Amino acid sequence: LAIGHFFFFFNGSHTTIESMKKNWNGKRVLILGAARQGLALARWLALHGAHVKLSDMRSADELRLVRESLAEVQIDWALGGHPLELLDSTDVLCLSGGIPLTLPIVAAAVARGIPLSNDSQIFMEVVPCKTIGITGSAGKTTTTTLVGRMAKNAYGDRTFIGGNIGDPLLNYVDEMKPADIAILELSSFQLEQMTISPNVAAILNITPNHLDRHGTMEAYTAAKARILAFQSKADTAILGRDDHGAWNLRDKVQGKLLTFSMHDLDEGMNGTYLHEGLLNLRDGNAYLPLMLREKILLRGEHNVANVLAAFAIGHAAGFPLDA
């Protein structure tokens, strides 16, 4: 399924999704995949009044423990396959992370005009606080973890970290407050279906990856670029300067652009960079030395780049320098 075709379809169905954002009561939702993300989504939607059906290729016996973990909520199960008839009673189709858009039931849903969504999209629809999203072909887990540590220094236990790592944040969204902060690692699989961008969005790098899923490098890049597509002028994007795949997306930035580099930044660029063994931050007329290269205990030059990225993201999010 071409990403361009999918993007057109999803925008065409956006009014339907918009109408469901605040009220899932009575909506018929089919979730494909009873893994971590699908289970969190099933529980949350069921608690918010949706009629949830969870479909998985595995048998009832294989999923016994999983089904027991959701025993307190009303969920219907369709196990052993994904028959197309499931779509006859479906208002929205939600995909777990590993479900490809080329799966017959997904293609059939698209053909019928049934909107697609996922746990990260639905989280972003209801999250009340500032959000940071981090994606990339490499380094996103390390960078997300580093930013999470910084955020905890600034926000304490009002910091929520998840997405593609740890617990799905949908498990905690009902307890979040406007003054909190949510940090998400986002995969290309999750971004494919998203029509909301985080307030601070970072693309570390884009190199060939998951092409068995996306088909072409262009489709994979388009999926990553969606993290920027729905930002406003008040938002900030961070793109890796040393990576052609990430840096070539700078014309898609809606708001402020920051970067990070292992080399000096060109005149007029704002962000973090390495110069003579010192990590620095430049933003307009402001200049801050951050830390010595030798203080970084993570091994490898790639981790110096991850630290530079984390500093740029933390600055964009407004973390105090001490944090």
Side-chain angles (χ1 to χ4, degrees), residues 179 225-226 309:
R226 286 177 75 86

Side-chain angles (χ1 to χ4, degrees), residues 9-21 115:
F9 151 73
F10 206 100
N11 277 328
S13 300
H14 197 233
T15 53
T16 307
I17 288 291
E18 286 286 345
S19 66
M20 294 180 184
K21 280 183 183 179

Side-chain angles (χ1 to χ4, degrees), residues 218-229:
E218 290 75 20
Y220 174 57
T221 300
K224 290 290 193 188
R226 286 177 75 86
I227 198 172
L228 308 174

Side-chain angles (χ1 to χ4, degrees), residues 285-306:
N285 293 323
Y287 162 80
L288 282 172
L290 296 170
M291 70 183 296
L292 291 169
R293 158 72 178 86
E294 65 193 40
K295 297 287 188 182
I296 298 173
L297 301 182
L298 299 171
R299 293 181 180 178
E301 292 296 290
H302 63 289
N303 275 320
V304 178
N306 290 335

Side-chain angles (χ1 to χ4, degrees), residues 256 258 265 269-273 280-290 315:
K256 183 174 181 176
L258 295 177
L265 298 182
M269 282 186 198
N270 294 318
T272 54
Y273 60 96
N280 305 276
L281 167 69
R282 185 172 78 205
D283 193 351
N285 293 323
Y287 162 80
L288 282 172
L290 296 170
H315 174 65

Side-chain angles (χ1 to χ4, degrees), residues 36-112:
R36 182 173 52 94
Q37 295 165 2
L39 297 177
L41 181 55
R43 179 181 285 106
W44 189 87
L45 286 172
L47 289 172
H48 288 79
H51 299 303
V52 178
K53 184 168 288 184
L54 195 45
S55 177
D56 196 279
M57 298 296 292
R58 290 169 290 178
S59 68
D61 190 54
E62 290 175 295
L63 288 173
R64 181 178 57 82
L65 293 177
V66 167
R67 296 174 72 192
E68 288 174 2
S69 74
L70 290 176
E72 81 280 6
V73 291
Q74 177 58 48
I75 292 172
D76 295 325
W77 296 83
L79 302 177
H82 304 305
L84 300 188
E85 306 85 71
L86 292 173
L87 297 177
D88 296 341
S89 57
T90 295
D91 297 317
V92 181
L93 178 64
C94 293
L95 312 183
S96 293
I99 303 294
L101 295 176
T102 51
L103 200 69
I105 193 171
V106 180
V110 171
R112 294 191 195 190

Side-chain angles (χ1 to χ4, degrees), residues 174-202:
D174 292 337
E175 65 188 69
M176 292 183 187
K177 303 290 189 292
D180 298 343
I181 191 160
I183 303 161
L184 299 93
E185 176 187 318
L186 293 168
S187 70
S188 57
F189 300 168
Q190 292 165 308
L191 288 167
E192 275 180 320
Q193 294 131 49
M194 291 181 67
T195 58
I196 303 175
S197 293
N199 304 117
V200 176

